[in-house]
Structure formats: C-alpha cells, structure tokens
C-alpha cells in the first residue's frame, strides 16, 4: 500500500514545510536587496498568484491523479510517451538545489551552535558590532573546513528523518515545528519594527520605484517565486501522491501560497528595518550574507540575546530540514518506485553523493577558491542554473502537460476534487494553466536573455 499523509493538517504542514524554508528566510531578502526593493516585491507577489498557484495546482493534480513519483506519474498518465522526461528534468533540478541548499542548511546549524556557546556574540578585536558579525560570518561560512562538519550533520539528520518514512518522519516533525517558526518570526518582526529608523527599511520594502523593473528583475522574481513555492521539479507531484483521494487541492494550494508569502513578508519586515537602523546599507552585505549578519544585530538589541538567537537558528535549521527532506524525497521516491529499491537503499543512494557535491559547493565560497563556473562561484552557478533556468522550464512543461496533454476531464475532476467544489473557479484555473502561465513564463524567460 502506498504511504499517505494521515490528516488534513498533516498535508498542509508537510507542504508548507517544504515551501517555507531558507528560500523565504535567506534567499528572499537577498533577492529583494539586490533587485531594487519594493518593485521586486510587487512582481514577486504577481508571480506567486498568477503563475505560482496555477503551476502548484497542476503539480497537485498530476501527483494525486498519477499516485506515483515524479517520473512514474507521467508514465502512468501517458504510457509509452516520452513525457516522463519532464519528471526527470525536475529530479535533476531538485538534486542540484539539494546540494547547494544543504550548504546553507549547514550554516544555520553552525549559527545555532555558535549562539548556544555564545561565540557569535563575542566581540572581534578592532571592530564595531557590524564588523564583528561580518568577521564571524567569514570565519564560519567562508572558511574551508569548519562549515563542512555542520553540512555533514545536516545530511545525516536528513537521512534519519527520511528513513522514518512519510508519516512518522516528514509529517510529525512538520506538525510541531512549523507553528513555532511562525510565532518566533512575529516576535522578531515586532522587535525589528521598533528599532530607531525602522521606517526607512519599511519604505525600501514597500514603496516601489518602478524604474527599477528590468527583465532581469522579473526573471529573478519568477525564479524566486518558483523556488520558494517548491515548484517545477516534481516535489509537489511527489507530495501530492501521498495526499488521500479526498484531500482538497485548491484549498491546500491557496493556504500554502499565502503562508509562504507571509513568511517572506515577515522576513522583509525583520531584515530591512534592521539594515537601515544599523546603517548596514553600505556594508558589502550582498546576497548570501545578509541574513547572517543582520539578524545577529537584531538579537543583540534584545534582552536574552543567546536565548532568542539559539531559538531562531534552531527553528531556521528545522525549516531548512523540512525543505531538504522534501527535495530529497523526489529522488528517493523515484529510486524506490522505478528501481524497486528498499527505502533505506534509496535514501542512501540519494544522500551519499550530496556529501561530495555539497563539499565542493561550500569550498567554492572559501576565499581565493578556484571552483568557479562562468565567473561565478560553483555555489552561485548551481543556484542560478537551477532556479532561473531549470525551474521556469520545468514549470512551463508541467503547465503544458497538465493543460494540453492529459484529458481536460481528468484535470477538471482533480481541480474540483471530484466535483465537490464549484466548477467555474476551476475552469478559470484551468484557463490560467493553459493560456496564461505558459506564454507568461516563456516571455519572461526569453526577455531575460535579450
Ligand atoms: N521552497 C523551499 C524554500 O523556500 C526550497 C525548496 C526548493 C524546496 C525546491 C523544495 C524544492 O526554502
């Protein structure tokens, strides 16, 4: 019998667990910062609702109808046709993401341990606090070997949870820890918004300067939306194959997208007021490092710094784990279904090679590393390739497949949960899947190359 999630809450918690992760907390603020603030946010929100939700519902419908892994679903729905290659592309993209994501997941663990021991908050000689956190950051993240051990611990934790299987592993941990993450973010939002000068950050985040919108900004927003919602690589096909037949697809998609956006918005409201308040705009805090320097500044302003800081990095590590297990689950389910492997063997086949690839990714960030591709660090290259190229292409193909290849009747019966919800909303969603999402994704993708 195929494994299933056991309750409605479990479905939501596991899917939100996959969606909410480092994408929202680490990647989103970095993208906002680098792509001009509020203008990016606006495009991002449009991408989430106009393109993200239809793609998500396509994946859900395919997964629940096919009831198999990312490749098997396509084989079942269209036997003898090469459409399963879409699933394979997804698995490939998910694996690339898994390897660099594990590196950042390792940092969260490292920051948690350094918060507990108090090292993170020891001043570094000859620096002010901002300088001190930047120095710590390079020590923790950009050194050759220190981060590796945490990355390996993360991989081991993933292995342990994945071995536990769908219900006991994935569902149980998501149920407990996702609510805790929300609660902590609300508290930190309040603290950050009450910092002196916070309003400058709020303006940066919410007042769009339309002249900042360029094709690159738009493709970055699209990539971020797909990354954050875990779309385009079969994660949600795989998870939807664990949904019971009477689950509600539309409601789940809407709840997951809104909660995911909410976490991203809260992160913006934590980070940008702090950036302005501590005068960090001029530091060379780009992408990767923004969260790891700004947040300690916020915690430093609070009483019980160590407690807040440890708690936060703990929940961040958990948010990272609920996402990494979903990314790994795509390949695990594929190995299990396709090659009839035991779950244990499949987990090992997926996770052991990540040790090597994550090590390379992490090393590429060390000072003076020669691990570069196309003038980017290996880490940035893998991120760019998977997020801005493979995810849009994967999502596009899934929409085309769900909208045009499989019978309209089958899609409608999935979207309406077998006729239990009003059909005109579903007809509209199918319209988006067929006529809106594909041309929009193609246009955004192509214009980013011009
Ligand atoms: N959505 C996750 C996040 O925001 C990352 C992820 C990407 C998970 C792709 C699954 C698939 O962190």
């Amino acid at each position: 019998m195929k494994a299933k999630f056991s309750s409605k809450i479990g479905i939501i918690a596991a899917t939100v667990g996959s969606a909410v992760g480092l994408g929202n907390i680490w990647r989103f603020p970095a993208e906002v910062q680098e792509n001009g603030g509020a203008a990016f946010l606006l495009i991002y929100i449009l991408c989430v609702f106009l393109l993200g939700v239809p793609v998500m519902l396509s994946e859900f419908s395919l997964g629940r109808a096919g009831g198999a892994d990312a490749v098997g679903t396509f084989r079942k729905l269209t036997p003898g046709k090469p459409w399963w290659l879409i699933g394979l592309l997804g698995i490939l993209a998910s694996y690339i993401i898994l390897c660099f994501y594990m590196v950042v997941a390792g940092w969260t663990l490292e920051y948690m341990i350094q918060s507990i021991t108090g090292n993170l908050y020891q001043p570094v000689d000859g620096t002010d606090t901002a300088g001190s956190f930047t120095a710590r950051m390079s020590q923790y993240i950009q050194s050759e070997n220190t981060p590796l051990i945490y990355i390996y611990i993360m991989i081991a934790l993933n292995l342990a949870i994945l071995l536990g299987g769908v219900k006991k592993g994935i569902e149980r941990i998501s149920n407990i820890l996702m609510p805790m993450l929300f609660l902590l973010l609300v508290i930190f939002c309040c603290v950050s918004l009450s910092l002196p000068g916070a309003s400058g950050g709020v303006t940066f985040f919410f007042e769009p300067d339309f002249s900042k919108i360029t094709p690159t900004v738009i493709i970055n927003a699209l990539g971020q939306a797909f990354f954050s919602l875990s779309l385009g690589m079969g994660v949600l096909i795989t998870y939807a194959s664990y949904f019971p037949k009477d689950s509600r697809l539309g409601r789940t998609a809407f709840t997951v997208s809104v909660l995911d956006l909410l976490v991203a918005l809260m992160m913006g409201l934590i980070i940008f007021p702090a950036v302005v308040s501590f005068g960090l705009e001029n530091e060379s805090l780009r992408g990767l490092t923004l969260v790891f320097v700004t947040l300690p500044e916020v915690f430093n302003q609070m009483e019980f710094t160590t407690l807040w800081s440890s708690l936060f990095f703990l929940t961040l590590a958990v948010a990272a784990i609920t996402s990494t297990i979903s990314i790994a689950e795509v390949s695990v389910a594929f190995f299990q279904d396709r090659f009839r492997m035991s779950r244990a063997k499949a987990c090992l086949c997926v996770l052991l090679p990540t040790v090597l690839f994550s090590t390379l990714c992490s090393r590429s960030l060390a000072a003076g590393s020669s691990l570069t591709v196309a003038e980017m660090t290996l880490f940035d290259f893998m991120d760019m390739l998977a997020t801005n190229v493979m995810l849009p292409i994967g999502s596009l193909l899934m929409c085309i497949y769900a909208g045009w290849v499989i019978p309209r009747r089958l899609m409608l019966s999935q979207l309406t949960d077998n006729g239990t919800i009003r059909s005109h909303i579903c007809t509209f969603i199918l319209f988006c899947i067929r006529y809106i999402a594909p041309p929009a994704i193609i246009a955004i993708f192509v214009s980013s190359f011009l």
Side-chain angles (χ1 to χ4, degrees):
M1 243 274 283
K2 184 150 178 82
K4 297 276 176 204
F5 290 129
S6 58
S7 65
K8 287 204 183 83
I9 291 287
I11 289 179
I12 303 256
T15 317
V16 172
S18 165
V20 172
L22 298 172
N24 312 57
I25 293 169
W26 156 76
R27 205 174 183 287
F28 175 78
E31 290 286 307
V32 174
Q33 171 101 341
E34 290 182 2
N35 290 287
F40 175 89
L41 176 65
L42 191 72
I43 311 251
Y44 174 77
I45 294 178
L46 290 176
C47 287
V48 166
F49 289 107
L50 292 182
L51 304 176
V53 172
V55 176
M56 184 179 283
L57 278 166
S58 306
E59 287 204 34
F60 278 171
S61 304
L62 296 178
R64 195 175 60 178
D69 67 287
V71 166
T73 289
F74 290 93
R75 281 181 185 268
K76 267 202 194 153
L77 295 177
T78 36
K81 303 263 170 58
W83 292 106
W84 54 270
L85 287 168
I86 303 177
L88 200 63
L89 176 79
I91 293 179
L92 211 67
S94 73
Y95 204 78
I96 297 179
I97 292 187
L98 183 64
C99 295
F100 76 79
Y101 201 96
M102 223 31 127
V103 174
V104 189
W107 301 342
T108 62
L109 198 63
E110 184 168 10
Y111 267 71
M112 180 186 98
I113 305 282
Q114 303 292 3
S115 303
I116 295 174
T117 59
N119 272 345
L120 179 58
Y121 295 93
Q122 294 298 322
V124 173
D125 286 346
T127 55
D128 55 10
T129 56
S132 163
F133 289 127
T134 313
R136 289 274 174 234
M137 197 268 317
S138 20
Q139 179 192 344
Y140 297 154
I141 290 177
Q142 286 164 325
S143 66
E144 282 217 347
N145 295 323
T146 342
L148 295 183
I149 164 133
Y150 297 99
I151 296 171
Y152 300 157
I153 297 177
M154 264 295 175
I155 296 178
L157 286 174
N158 271 273
L159 187 62
I161 296 174
L162 282 168
L163 285 176
V166 173
K167 248 185 235 173
K168 286 210 205 92
I170 300 179
E171 190 176 333
R172 193 185 289 168
I173 191 159
S174 310
N175 277 349
I176 306 172
L177 288 150
M178 293 320 286
M180 181 165 144
L181 176 73
F182 275 88
L183 195 68
L184 280 180
L185 289 182
V186 173
I187 298 175
F188 298 144
C189 250
C190 298
V191 174
S192 198
L193 285 171
S194 61
L195 291 169
S199 61
V202 177
T203 311
F204 172 76
F205 192 44
F206 283 140
E207 256 177 43
D209 169 357
F210 292 102
S211 66
K212 296 254 170 70
I213 301 178
T214 62
T216 320
V217 168
I218 302 180
I219 185 84
N220 286 341
L222 183 75
Q224 173 63 25
F226 288 167
F227 185 96
S228 191
L229 295 172
S230 310
L231 299 177
M233 63 187 78
V235 167
L236 298 184
I237 293 187
T238 309
Y239 267 29
S241 76
Y242 306 139
F243 289 1
K245 291 284 172 227
D246 61 352
S247 50
R248 296 299 177 90
L249 296 190
R251 201 180 287 174
T252 309
F254 189 70
T255 317
V256 171
S257 311
V258 169
L259 289 178
D260 189 71
L261 179 64
L262 213 62
V263 173
L265 290 176
M266 286 200 280
M267 270 322 285
L269 287 177
I270 296 173
I271 296 283
F272 297 110
V275 166
V276 174
S277 179
F278 299 120
L280 296 171
E281 303 101 315
N282 301 324
E283 300 269 330
S284 56
L285 290 177
R286 304 235 66 86
L288 282 184
T289 54
L290 188 61
V291 161
F292 291 94
V293 174
T294 324
L295 282 177
E297 284 277 10
V298 175
F299 303 140
N300 216 11
Q301 300 299 311
M302 302 170 71
E303 281 201 48
F304 311 113
T305 303
T306 312
L307 177 74
W308 292 120
S309 181
S310 319
L311 259 183
F312 178 76
F313 285 112
L314 168 71
T315 44
L316 188 48
V318 172
I321 291 183
T322 54
S323 297
T324 46
I325 52 179
S326 78
I327 312 177
E329 180 68 22
V330 183
S331 310
V332 171
F334 169 65
F335 277 115
Q336 254 186 302
D337 285 3
R338 186 86 198 97
F339 303 112
R340 307 246 159 273
M341 279 185 189
S342 67
R343 187 155 177 97
K345 221 193 237 164
C347 291
L348 283 175
C349 282
V350 171
L351 285 172
L352 279 185
T354 58
V355 173
L356 173 69
F357 296 125
S358 302
T359 304
L360 290 177
C361 264
S362 171
R363 284 265 166 94
S364 78
L365 295 173
S369 161
S370 58
L371 287 165
T372 54
V373 187
E375 292 177 18
M376 279 181 245
T377 60
L378 179 65
F379 181 102
D380 285 335
F381 178 76
M382 285 169 74
D383 183 349
M384 189 279 297
L385 176 71
T387 312
N388 282 7
V389 180
M390 295 173 89
L391 295 194
I393 294 180
S395 302
L396 169 69
L397 294 174
M398 290 202 201
C399 282
I400 293 179
Y401 182 80
W404 297 97
V405 178
I406 62 169
R408 188 184 147 87
R409 196 176 20 84
L410 186 118
M411 268 308 277
L412 273 181
S413 85
Q414 285 300 326
L415 290 172
T416 55
D417 297 322
N418 259 329
T420 41
I421 47 174
R422 266 174 301 156
S423 67
H424 54 268
I425 304 178
C426 303
T427 320
F428 174 69
I429 288 172
L430 192 56
F431 178 82
C432 290
I433 295 175
R434 298 178 95 176
Y435 296 102
I436 301 198
I441 298 172
I442 295 176
I444 295 174
F445 189 67
V446 171
S447 68
S448 73
F449 282 102
L450 298 179

PDB file of all heavy atoms in Angstrom, residues 18-24 97 101 227-230 233 235 260 323 326-327, ligand 1:
ATOM      1  N   SER A  18       7.686  22.119   3.211  1.00  0.00           N
ATOM      2  CA  SER A  18       8.530  22.106   2.019  1.00  0.00           C
ATOM      3  C   SER A  18       8.705  23.523   1.479  1.00  0.00           C
ATOM      4  O   SER A  18       9.805  23.954   1.150  1.00  0.00           O
ATOM      5  CB  SER A  18       7.906  21.222   0.944  1.00  0.00           C
ATOM      6  OG  SER A  18       8.513  21.464  -0.291  1.00  0.00           O
ATOM      7  N   ALA A  19       7.599  24.258   1.410  1.00  0.00           N
ATOM      8  CA  ALA A  19       7.669  25.583   0.800  1.00  0.00           C
ATOM      9  C   ALA A  19       8.442  26.570   1.670  1.00  0.00           C
ATOM     10  O   ALA A  19       9.319  27.290   1.189  1.00  0.00           O
ATOM     11  CB  ALA A  19       6.251  26.104   0.544  1.00  0.00           C
ATOM     12  N   VAL A  20       8.122  26.601   2.944  1.00  0.00           N
ATOM     13  CA  VAL A  20       8.773  27.573   3.824  1.00  0.00           C
ATOM     14  C   VAL A  20      10.140  27.053   4.239  1.00  0.00           C
ATOM     15  O   VAL A  20      10.250  25.989   4.821  1.00  0.00           O
ATOM     16  CB  VAL A  20       7.920  27.819   5.084  1.00  0.00           C
ATOM     17  CG1 VAL A  20       8.680  28.673   6.077  1.00  0.00           C
ATOM     18  CG2 VAL A  20       6.626  28.495   4.697  1.00  0.00           C
ATOM     19  N   GLY A  21      11.136  27.809   3.902  1.00  0.00           N
ATOM     20  CA  GLY A  21      12.472  27.355   4.272  1.00  0.00           C
ATOM     21  C   GLY A  21      13.468  28.463   4.037  1.00  0.00           C
ATOM     22  O   GLY A  21      13.140  29.649   4.120  1.00  0.00           O
ATOM     23  N   LEU A  22      14.685  28.070   3.714  1.00  0.00           N
ATOM     24  CA  LEU A  22      15.724  29.064   3.504  1.00  0.00           C
ATOM     25  C   LEU A  22      15.382  29.971   2.326  1.00  0.00           C
ATOM     26  O   LEU A  22      15.880  31.079   2.224  1.00  0.00           O
ATOM     27  CB  LEU A  22      17.047  28.361   3.250  1.00  0.00           C
ATOM     28  CG  LEU A  22      17.495  27.504   4.424  1.00  0.00           C
ATOM     29  CD1 LEU A  22      18.699  26.670   4.050  1.00  0.00           C
ATOM     30  CD2 LEU A  22      17.828  28.402   5.608  1.00  0.00           C
ATOM     31  N   GLY A  23      14.544  29.469   1.438  1.00  0.00           N
ATOM     32  CA  GLY A  23      14.109  30.289   0.300  1.00  0.00           C
ATOM     33  C   GLY A  23      13.470  31.571   0.795  1.00  0.00           C
ATOM     34  O   GLY A  23      13.740  32.654   0.283  1.00  0.00           O
ATOM     35  N   ASN A  24      12.626  31.458   1.810  1.00  0.00           N
ATOM     36  CA  ASN A  24      11.948  32.647   2.330  1.00  0.00           C
ATOM     37  C   ASN A  24      12.864  33.444   3.233  1.00  0.00           C
ATOM     38  O   ASN A  24      12.829  34.670   3.238  1.00  0.00           O
ATOM     39  CB  ASN A  24      10.748  32.265   3.203  1.00  0.00           C
ATOM     40  CG  ASN A  24       9.870  31.246   2.536  1.00  0.00           C
ATOM     41  OD1 ASN A  24      10.331  30.176   2.165  1.00  0.00           O
ATOM     42  ND2 ASN A  24       8.614  31.573   2.366  1.00  0.00           N
ATOM     43  N   ILE A  97      19.590  21.672  -6.547  1.00  0.00           N
ATOM     44  CA  ILE A  97      19.191  22.535  -5.433  1.00  0.00           C
ATOM     45  C   ILE A  97      19.567  21.900  -4.104  1.00  0.00           C
ATOM     46  O   ILE A  97      20.111  22.543  -3.209  1.00  0.00           O
ATOM     47  CB  ILE A  97      17.680  22.829  -5.504  1.00  0.00           C
ATOM     48  CG1 ILE A  97      17.398  23.710  -6.723  1.00  0.00           C
ATOM     49  CG2 ILE A  97      17.195  23.507  -4.221  1.00  0.00           C
ATOM     50  CD1 ILE A  97      16.000  24.225  -6.840  1.00  0.00           C
ATOM     51  N   TYR A 101      21.663  23.825  -1.288  1.00  0.00           N
ATOM     52  CA  TYR A 101      20.769  24.145  -0.165  1.00  0.00           C
ATOM     53  C   TYR A 101      21.320  23.547   1.129  1.00  0.00           C
ATOM     54  O   TYR A 101      21.231  24.143   2.202  1.00  0.00           O
ATOM     55  CB  TYR A 101      19.405  23.544  -0.481  1.00  0.00           C
ATOM     56  CG  TYR A 101      18.236  24.148   0.247  1.00  0.00           C
ATOM     57  CD1 TYR A 101      17.465  25.145  -0.341  1.00  0.00           C
ATOM     58  CD2 TYR A 101      17.861  23.704   1.513  1.00  0.00           C
ATOM     59  CE1 TYR A 101      16.362  25.673   0.308  1.00  0.00           C
ATOM     60  CE2 TYR A 101      16.769  24.228   2.165  1.00  0.00           C
ATOM     61  CZ  TYR A 101      16.027  25.214   1.556  1.00  0.00           C
ATOM     62  OH  TYR A 101      14.942  25.735   2.208  1.00  0.00           O
ATOM     63  N   PHE A 227      11.041  28.865  -6.686  1.00  0.00           N
ATOM     64  CA  PHE A 227      11.914  28.258  -5.682  1.00  0.00           C
ATOM     65  C   PHE A 227      11.188  28.207  -4.339  1.00  0.00           C
ATOM     66  O   PHE A 227      11.133  27.175  -3.672  1.00  0.00           O
ATOM     67  CB  PHE A 227      13.189  29.103  -5.558  1.00  0.00           C
ATOM     68  CG  PHE A 227      14.238  28.528  -4.642  1.00  0.00           C
ATOM     69  CD1 PHE A 227      15.277  27.775  -5.155  1.00  0.00           C
ATOM     70  CD2 PHE A 227      14.200  28.757  -3.261  1.00  0.00           C
ATOM     71  CE1 PHE A 227      16.259  27.243  -4.322  1.00  0.00           C
ATOM     72  CE2 PHE A 227      15.170  28.230  -2.428  1.00  0.00           C
ATOM     73  CZ  PHE A 227      16.207  27.474  -2.969  1.00  0.00           C
ATOM     74  N   SER A 228      10.617  29.348  -3.977  1.00  0.00           N
ATOM     75  CA  SER A 228      10.013  29.436  -2.655  1.00  0.00           C
ATOM     76  C   SER A 228       8.799  28.538  -2.524  1.00  0.00           C
ATOM     77  O   SER A 228       8.535  27.992  -1.447  1.00  0.00           O
ATOM     78  CB  SER A 228       9.635  30.893  -2.380  1.00  0.00           C
ATOM     79  OG  SER A 228       9.281  31.042  -1.041  1.00  0.00           O
ATOM     80  N   LEU A 229       8.044  28.372  -3.611  1.00  0.00           N
ATOM     81  CA  LEU A 229       6.857  27.511  -3.520  1.00  0.00           C
ATOM     82  C   LEU A 229       7.189  26.055  -3.855  1.00  0.00           C
ATOM     83  O   LEU A 229       6.295  25.225  -3.956  1.00  0.00           O
ATOM     84  CB  LEU A 229       5.761  28.031  -4.463  1.00  0.00           C
ATOM     85  CG  LEU A 229       5.196  29.409  -4.126  1.00  0.00           C
ATOM     86  CD1 LEU A 229       4.277  29.908  -5.234  1.00  0.00           C
ATOM     87  CD2 LEU A 229       4.438  29.392  -2.800  1.00  0.00           C
ATOM     88  N   SER A 230       8.463  25.746  -4.021  1.00  0.00           N
ATOM     89  CA  SER A 230       8.909  24.375  -4.342  1.00  0.00           C
ATOM     90  C   SER A 230       8.320  23.855  -5.644  1.00  0.00           C
ATOM     91  O   SER A 230       7.922  22.693  -5.734  1.00  0.00           O
ATOM     92  CB  SER A 230       8.544  23.382  -3.235  1.00  0.00           C
ATOM     93  OG  SER A 230       8.929  23.821  -1.978  1.00  0.00           O
ATOM     94  N   MET A 233       9.800  21.052 -10.059  1.00  0.00           N
ATOM     95  CA  MET A 233      10.775  19.960 -10.025  1.00  0.00           C
ATOM     96  C   MET A 233      10.180  18.670  -9.495  1.00  0.00           C
ATOM     97  O   MET A 233      10.892  17.748  -9.154  1.00  0.00           O
ATOM     98  CB  MET A 233      11.955  20.365  -9.176  1.00  0.00           C
ATOM     99  CG  MET A 233      11.594  20.611  -7.749  1.00  0.00           C
ATOM    100  SD  MET A 233      12.960  21.276  -6.866  1.00  0.00           S
ATOM    101  CE  MET A 233      12.860  22.925  -7.433  1.00  0.00           C
ATOM    102  N   VAL A 235       8.570  18.116  -6.706  1.00  0.00           N
ATOM    103  CA  VAL A 235       8.395  17.959  -5.257  1.00  0.00           C
ATOM    104  C   VAL A 235       6.908  17.834  -4.936  1.00  0.00           C
ATOM    105  O   VAL A 235       6.476  16.946  -4.194  1.00  0.00           O
ATOM    106  CB  VAL A 235       8.971  19.164  -4.485  1.00  0.00           C
ATOM    107  CG1 VAL A 235       8.517  19.176  -3.043  1.00  0.00           C
ATOM    108  CG2 VAL A 235      10.481  19.159  -4.557  1.00  0.00           C
ATOM    109  N   ASP A 260       3.367  30.922   2.742  1.00  0.00           N
ATOM    110  CA  ASP A 260       4.730  31.090   2.253  1.00  0.00           C
ATOM    111  C   ASP A 260       5.041  32.570   2.019  1.00  0.00           C
ATOM    112  O   ASP A 260       6.099  33.071   2.403  1.00  0.00           O
ATOM    113  CB  ASP A 260       4.892  30.295   0.948  1.00  0.00           C
ATOM    114  CG  ASP A 260       6.330  30.233   0.493  1.00  0.00           C
ATOM    115  OD1 ASP A 260       7.115  29.527   1.148  1.00  0.00           O
ATOM    116  OD2 ASP A 260       6.672  30.898  -0.497  1.00  0.00           O
ATOM    117  N   SER A 323      12.423  21.443   4.348  1.00  0.00           N
ATOM    118  CA  SER A 323      12.543  21.645   2.903  1.00  0.00           C
ATOM    119  C   SER A 323      13.502  20.628   2.280  1.00  0.00           C
ATOM    120  O   SER A 323      13.197  20.058   1.235  1.00  0.00           O
ATOM    121  CB  SER A 323      13.030  23.055   2.584  1.00  0.00           C
ATOM    122  OG  SER A 323      12.086  23.992   3.024  1.00  0.00           O
ATOM    123  N   SER A 326      11.995  17.384   1.637  1.00  0.00           N
ATOM    124  CA  SER A 326      11.068  17.338   0.502  1.00  0.00           C
ATOM    125  C   SER A 326      11.840  17.298  -0.810  1.00  0.00           C
ATOM    126  O   SER A 326      11.438  16.638  -1.758  1.00  0.00           O
ATOM    127  CB  SER A 326      10.096  18.523   0.531  1.00  0.00           C
ATOM    128  OG  SER A 326      10.713  19.700   0.080  1.00  0.00           O
ATOM    129  N   ILE A 327      12.967  18.011  -0.850  1.00  0.00           N
ATOM    130  CA  ILE A 327      13.742  17.999  -2.095  1.00  0.00           C
ATOM    131  C   ILE A 327      14.321  16.602  -2.306  1.00  0.00           C
ATOM    132  O   ILE A 327      14.287  16.053  -3.408  1.00  0.00           O
ATOM    133  CB  ILE A 327      14.889  19.036  -2.060  1.00  0.00           C
ATOM    134  CG1 ILE A 327      14.364  20.405  -1.580  1.00  0.00           C
ATOM    135  CG2 ILE A 327      15.508  19.192  -3.432  1.00  0.00           C
ATOM    136  CD1 ILE A 327      15.424  21.469  -1.448  1.00  0.00           C
TER     137      ILE A 327
HETATM  138  N1  LIG B   1      10.759  26.062  -1.108  1.00  0.00           N
HETATM  139  C1  LIG B   1      11.902  25.822  -0.308  1.00  0.00           C
HETATM  140  C2  LIG B   1      12.310  27.097   0.375  1.00  0.00           C
HETATM  141  O1  LIG B   1      11.746  28.125   0.158  1.00  0.00           O
HETATM  142  C3  LIG B   1      13.055  25.283  -1.065  1.00  0.00           C
HETATM  143  C4  LIG B   1      12.703  24.215  -1.995  1.00  0.00           C
HETATM  144  C5  LIG B   1      13.005  24.350  -3.298  1.00  0.00           C
HETATM  145  C6  LIG B   1      12.071  23.078  -1.526  1.00  0.00           C
HETATM  146  C7  LIG B   1      12.663  23.392  -4.167  1.00  0.00           C
HETATM  147  C8  LIG B   1      11.709  22.108  -2.386  1.00  0.00           C
HETATM  148  C9  LIG B   1      12.002  22.268  -3.715  1.00  0.00           C
HETATM  149  O2  LIG B   1      13.230  27.096   1.111  1.00  0.00           O
END
